Amino acid sequence: MAQAAAAQALAEDLQSLAIGAGPGAGGADAVDYSALPRPAGVVVGGEDFAGGADGGEEALEGWGEGLVAGGLAEIEGNAHPRYFRMTCGAIPDSQSLRSRWHLPLGAVLQPLAPTPPGEEEVPVVNFGSSGIIRCRRCRTYVNPFVTFTDGGRRWRCNSCNLLNEVSHEYFCNLDSTGRRTDWHQRPELSRGSVEFVAPVEYMVRPPMPPTFFFLIDASVNNARSGVLQVISDAIRACLDSLPGDSRTRIGFLLFDSSLHFVSLKASLTQPHVLVSADIDDPFLPLPEDELLVNAHESRHVVEAFLDALPNLFATSTNVESAMGPALKAMSLLVSQLGGKVLLFQSTMPSLGAGRLRLRGDDPRLYGTDREHTVRCSEDAFYKSTAAEFSRAQICVDTFVFSSKYCDLASLGTLARYTGGQVYHYSGFHLANDGDKLRSQIVRNLTRETAWESVMRIRCSKGLKIATFHGHFFIRSSDLLAIPAADADKGYAVQISHEEAVLANQTMAYLQCALLYTSSCGERRIRVHTLAVPIVRDMAELYRRCDMGATATVLAKIALDKSLTSRLEECRQLIQNKTTLALREYRILTAGSAALSRTSGYGMPPPSPSNPYGPPQSHLHQPNLPQQRLVFPESLRLLPLYTLALCKSPALRGGFQEMGADARAAAAFELMVVSVGRTLRMLYPRLIRVDAMPAQCGVADESGIVTIPRAMPLATSSLDPQGAFLLDDSTGLTLWLGGALPAGTAAQIVGQDALNAPDINQVPFIPPPDSPLAARISAIVDALRSGDFPGGNGSRGGGEVCHQAVQLLRQGGSGELAFYHSFVEDRSATGMGYGEFVVHLARQVQVK
């Protein structure tokens, strides 16, 4: 009966793609282009581009937070997928079954993800004198899946089955079903996500105040580009909203060929700047309490310094950068408290410790066994310094502004191992990039932050966490040190089996625990718990696969591999996993007795009511036709995301296709972003904005803006007579066709922009008297915030990444980078989508 049910479920989920006898090695002509699977909301063909609008849940699969699969959200007591999202909503019951599951088995975690407006915040539980309740053997925290026995006097751990005593203070009678009568009143027994107030035994020192230290490169590049002005404006705008209220500490250190210490003592009326030329053995020229001050008490001095900052180095011609010595001096000052360091760097460090050399532009390394070295830190100074900072609870966020090679792979190492983030501006241009930099600094300073944090993920008996991906330092085998975790950071793990068979178990349990200090000075533990069914049927694994989480973990696996292997090997790894997964599924379906529902490339396109296309019944032969690529419904986008990942900036091509710094920046970004942003980086949203339906670009009664339907990422989607907006989650590109009527172009960007020598350097400023420009501007704002039907703005917490609008004219400079986003086209970096599907189908059929 169980096998029959599995076969029926498999038949219902199976889809197939008809592969024609295309010419050559399998060109795009071999498939029906219009039927290629794409994220829901993407339409193919003529009037649909301008005649519809994205909306509803169907828009979530390709962008937003991704369409969550697996059924785990339906299990009462599970954490929400925004916090803890499995790549598959089931766990194989044995190592042998796991060996046949060729896709990642793991999870994506975002423990501090913002709570959408209207939803209840993660509840806070204070056990008081009774102490936090957790298993005395495996240390799992009490959760909705523990069971109580012996009249409520003992509870059984769901992870290791140990019986634990219930304290007198926590005792409660059980009802007739064996449940505590107060379970619905206790968040820890009814909610998958909860936050415990930690007692004193969870502290190695008193909670430290939130500390922000600004380490600013004052060499000529930053002094003349306008960066200092933006930094000053952004920090000043945040002074009233910095976390920690009256406890917050703040400090500044500037550097070029010397170190410039800033005294902000509250008794001063103006800040004092002391210059030290000793970069070989940095020291503090003033007491610590004058250089790192209470932001509230020294507010007037801080504001005076910020007012003066933009002009302090206005006449400087200093091109040197003593960044390493500045880091050492900062450490002397901040290491007692820990905190967040915002490093603003405009050139390659050239003096003292951490001095770097040109190395990333050497094409001879690419394709060799030493290729990966350009993606790792060259100088051991950076990793050892990052390790010291992690121990001292110092997190480094690195902002880099440079139009020349600056070895971002080395500079970003500080962020990688301290839980920080890398922000890269290639050739900072104030008019185009100023608003984005200002917004990113404000977001960085004001978002929810967990200070002095460590994170551990526990599994139930027979399972273990095998691999971790993200920005952190592994303090022990399974303890992640994250000096300053925040609401925007994502992490990933892979799960493996410790035992050959998970005997006598129907559910596996995973629990993520983040121990941290809140901005208000309270030690807390945020706990997210998941119950995952254990299955013995491969078909059930395929049915419960979550494509968004799988693509995200695949990306992080490939990025980590790129630090030790050639890019070609990383791309091959992804393709091999995809091929093996689809081959295994083909073998699995070959044994099914009948298939009642399929969708193929020759089928009509999906519709809102049926996003997978209409069903079709046919007589199933003992073996599937050789000309079909068979895949489960849950993995309909696996070939597309595999191709997109191989063509992503972090992994595509070699020396000629991508600069070393740009590649490193893309890798750092992709390693920490959420599932939704990962999917949008892999497959950006392309919409036409010159011929939109009337409802697009207009807010409804609740302020939600409707945007046009997205189009396939192929150059055939572009029309020289149109205007198109491309959104890749990090930036927006407004492309104007060469044959776009002059009047329409002027309505969109203004006549002054069209008359500019280089439209790429002109900011997008909508003409005030243009209704069309106003609608496009509303769409831009909606894409930035996610406030549109099917978007992710409901998460709350403000913009994660303020996307600057880059203007681009067909045939103009900068167009090549724009075309790199069109992953469905054949290019120097890889096959086209149709060609790749044909190639994949043939690989799947190889025995």
Side-chain angles (χ1 to χ4, degrees):
M1 292 294 292
Q3 292 180 344
Q8 177 62 29
L10 190 68
E12 292 175 355
D13 286 341
L14 181 139
Q15 298 192 20
S16 61
L17 294 85
I19 308 297
D29 292 340
V31 296
D32 180 357
Y33 174 79
S34 65
L36 289 166
R38 296 180 177 86
V42 176
V43 295
V44 181
E47 296 181 358
D48 283 340
F49 291 150
D54 277 337
E57 292 300 321
E58 63 173 305
L60 288 177
E61 185 173 357
W63 303 285
E65 293 302 326
L67 185 63
V68 179
L72 296 185
E74 301 170 3
I75 297 177
E76 183 182 11
N78 266 351
H80 194 281
R82 77 170 71 94
Y83 304 116
F84 204 156
R85 183 165 171 177
M86 293 289 293
T87 59
C88 182
I91 297 289
D93 74 332
S94 64
Q95 289 181 348
S96 61
L97 185 61
R98 171 67 182 91
S99 67
R100 294 170 55 200
W101 180 251
H102 302 287
L103 296 175
L105 181 65
V108 180
L109 301 103
Q110 196 174 348
L112 295 173
T115 303
E119 291 192 21
E120 184 182 354
E121 294 285 345
V122 174
V124 178
V125 177
N126 190 344
F127 286 113
S129 59
S130 64
I132 292 180
I133 299 171
R134 56 193 306 195
C135 178
R136 67 178 186 271
R137 179 166 65 190
C138 72
R139 310 305 289 163
T140 292
Y141 294 89
V142 67
N143 61 78
F145 304 104
V146 304
T147 54
F148 289 84
T149 63
D150 195 15
R153 287 181 287 273
R154 293 195 292 177
W155 63 274
R156 185 178 299 279
C157 175
N158 55 301
S159 294
C160 70
N161 287 324
L162 181 71
L163 278 174
N164 295 268
E165 298 295 326
V166 175
S167 66
H168 174 73
E169 296 87 351
Y170 196 65
F171 173 80
C172 181
N173 290 316
L174 307 183
D175 61 19
S176 58
T177 65
R179 236 178 184 182
R180 284 173 59 119
T181 57
D182 67 344
W183 71 270
H184 59 286
Q185 299 172 357
R186 290 198 171 270
E188 73 275 13
L189 299 180
S190 58
R191 300 280 295 274
S193 296
V194 68
E195 198 155 271
F196 298 116
V197 176
V200 67
E201 55 263 32
Y202 287 80
M203 306 178 193
V204 295
R205 63 178 183 178
M208 295 294 104
T211 299
F212 297 94
F213 197 87
F214 301 92
L215 203 58
I216 304 173
D217 177 0
S219 62
V220 64
N221 287 345
N222 271 358
R224 296 182 179 179
S225 65
V227 166
L228 297 184
Q229 182 68 61
V230 178
I231 294 173
S232 172
D233 293 343
I235 297 173
R236 189 182 181 102
C238 294
L239 291 178
D240 289 326
S241 52
L242 288 177
D245 300 321
S246 61
R247 303 170 59 250
T248 305
R249 300 292 189 271
I250 192 169
F252 297 84
L253 174 60
L254 297 92
F255 60 93
D256 42 31
S257 59
S258 302
L259 305 182
H260 304 257
F261 295 88
V262 184
S263 174
L264 302 168
K265 191 175 180 180
S267 60
L268 298 174
T269 57
Q270 292 292 325
H272 290 175
V273 179
L274 290 85
V275 182
S276 172
D278 188 354
I279 61 174
D280 295 325
D281 188 18
F283 63 94
L284 300 181
L286 292 170
E288 296 178 9
D289 60 358
E290 294 188 28
L291 299 173
L292 189 62
V293 299
N294 184 289
H296 178 73
E297 295 173 357
S298 296
R299 172 70 177 264
H300 63 288
V301 192
V302 172
E303 289 182 338
F305 171 72
L306 293 175
D307 290 341
L309 176 60
N311 298 316
L312 278 179
F313 300 88
T315 60
S316 173
T317 58
N318 197 323
V319 298
E320 303 294 348
S321 171
M323 190 193 80
L327 287 167
K328 288 187 173 182
M330 176 276 298
S331 180
L332 294 174
L333 187 59
V334 180
S335 59
Q336 296 302 312
L337 294 178
K340 179 186 284 286
V341 175
L342 276 70
L343 169 63
F344 299 91
Q345 178 73 17
S346 67
T347 187
M348 183 181 293
S350 58
L351 297 175
R355 177 181 178 179
L356 296 172
R357 63 181 179 87
L358 290 171
R359 65 183 180 110
D361 291 332
D362 186 356
R364 294 172 297 179
L365 291 176
Y366 288 82
T368 71
D369 292 338
R370 296 186 62 247
E371 176 192 312
H372 68 276
T373 60
V374 302
R375 295 185 286 275
C376 302
S377 176
E378 177 190 31
D379 193 331
F381 165 83
Y382 289 94
K383 186 169 183 179
S384 62
T385 299
E388 293 174 8
F389 287 176
S390 179
R391 284 192 292 269
Q393 301 295 344
I394 297 172
C395 168
V396 180
D397 287 323
T398 306
F399 294 76
V400 179
F401 318 90
S402 179
S403 57
K404 299 179 180 179
Y405 175 73
C406 63
D407 198 352
L408 191 63
S410 292
L411 299 180
T413 300
L414 296 168
R416 180 194 300 276
Y417 293 109
T418 64
Q421 190 167 346
V422 176
Y423 304 84
H424 182 236
Y425 292 79
S426 179
F428 180 85
H429 187 267
L430 182 61
N432 284 348
D433 300 321
D435 286 344
K436 179 176 182 177
L437 175 58
R438 185 179 297 106
S439 175
Q440 288 188 322
I441 294 174
V442 170
R443 175 71 181 176
N444 188 295
L445 296 177
T446 58
R447 64 190 172 190
E448 182 181 2
T449 301
W451 308 90
E452 307 176 283
S453 60
V454 291
M455 184 169 71
R456 177 174 274 133
I457 298 97
R458 294 180 173 86
C459 300
S460 54
K461 184 180 179 182
L463 299 174
K464 68 176 181 178
I465 302 298
T467 312
F468 303 90
H469 306 281
H471 285 185
F472 45 75
F473 194 89
I474 300 181
R475 190 172 294 176
S476 62
S477 60
D478 63 346
L479 186 67
L480 309 184
I482 312 171
D486 61 68
D488 300 332
K489 292 289 192 316
Y491 311 90
V493 298
Q494 294 185 70
I495 302 168
S496 65
H497 286 61
E498 284 189 311
E499 299 179 359
V501 179
L502 302 180
N504 303 318
Q505 299 183 56
T506 59
M507 299 290 282
Y509 301 94
L510 296 96
Q511 188 175 82
C512 166
L514 181 75
L515 172 64
Y516 72 98
T517 300
S518 67
S519 294
C520 63
E522 194 171 50
R523 201 71 173 147
R524 292 185 176 184
I525 309 167
R526 178 165 289 204
V527 177
H528 302 294
T529 306
L530 277 184
V532 186
I534 295 175
V535 299
R536 62 180 61 184
D537 179 25
M538 178 65 72
E540 192 67 12
L541 293 176
Y542 279 105
R543 190 177 72 84
R544 290 176 173 267
C545 186
D546 184 314
M547 188 64 252
T550 297
T552 300
V553 177
L554 269 176
K556 298 183 192 303
I557 291 173
L559 292 176
D560 274 340
K561 185 176 178 60
S562 71
L563 300 179
T564 57
S565 306
R566 294 181 293 114
L567 290 175
E568 178 57 36
E569 294 173 341
C570 302
R571 295 190 291 264
Q572 196 61 51
L573 171 70
I574 303 166
Q575 294 184 33
N576 286 345
K577 287 182 177 292
T578 297
T579 300
L580 291 172
L582 296 181
R583 183 181 298 164
E584 185 70 39
Y585 187 75
R586 183 180 183 86
I587 295 172
L588 192 65
T589 55
S592 300
L595 300 176
S596 61
R597 178 181 184 271
T598 66
S599 284
Y601 279 178
M603 305 291 292
S607 65
S609 60
N610 188 358
Y612 299 110
Q616 175 181 339
S617 298
H618 69 276
L619 182 63
H620 177 69
Q621 301 300 324
N623 293 303
L624 291 170
Q626 292 297 305
Q627 69 272 22
R628 284 192 172 272
L629 176 63
V630 183
F631 55 91
E633 185 174 293
S634 61
L635 296 180
R636 57 189 293 269
L637 296 179
L638 180 60
L640 177 60
Y641 284 134
T642 298
L643 179 64
L645 183 54
C646 291
K647 289 186 172 185
S648 66
L651 297 176
R652 70 170 174 244
F655 172 78
Q656 298 292 338
E657 289 77 21
M658 203 72 188
D661 281 344
R663 190 185 301 279
F668 284 126
E669 182 79 3
L670 197 55
M671 183 58 77
V672 300
V673 295
S674 64
V675 172
R677 287 198 62 202
T678 297
L679 299 184
R680 194 146 45 105
M681 290 175 72
L682 296 181
Y683 195 88
R685 184 192 300 270
L686 177 70
I687 59 176
R688 184 166 184 169
V689 294
D690 65 303
M692 298 182 286
Q695 74 270 26
C696 291
V698 180
D700 61 16
E701 304 80 16
S702 58
I704 302 299
V705 174
T706 300
I707 65 174
R709 284 193 178 276
M711 305 164 67
L713 286 178
T715 51
S716 58
S717 297
L718 298 176
D719 181 354
Q721 296 184 351
F724 297 80
L725 191 64
L726 183 76
D727 168 22
D728 66 359
S729 96
T730 62
L732 296 165
T733 302
L734 182 54
W735 183 87
L736 307 178
L740 180 67
T744 304
Q747 289 182 46
I748 295 175
V749 299
Q751 193 61 48
D752 290 343
L754 296 177
N755 295 337
D758 186 358
I759 196 173
N760 294 12
Q761 301 299 318
V762 178
F764 174 58
I765 303 177
D769 56 348
S770 170
L772 176 58
R775 294 169 64 197
I776 294 175
S777 181
I779 290 173
V780 166
D781 291 341
L783 291 173
R784 285 172 172 166
S785 64
D787 287 331
F788 58 89
N792 58 6
S794 59
R795 294 175 309 166
E799 291 180 348
V800 173
C801 175
H802 180 92
Q803 298 159 269
V805 179
Q806 174 74 53
L807 300 183
L808 192 63
R809 196 71 192 254
Q810 184 178 11
S813 61
E815 198 173 23
L816 181 60
F818 173 70
Y819 288 134
H820 276 313
S821 297
F822 288 75
V823 296
E824 295 193 21
D825 284 342
R826 181 183 178 88
S827 67
T829 60
M831 292 177 276
Y833 187 15
E835 183 182 4
F836 179 69
V837 166
V838 174
H839 169 76
L840 195 58
R842 292 178 175 174
Q843 292 298 311
V844 167
Q845 293 168 13
V846 174
K847 301 295 184 182

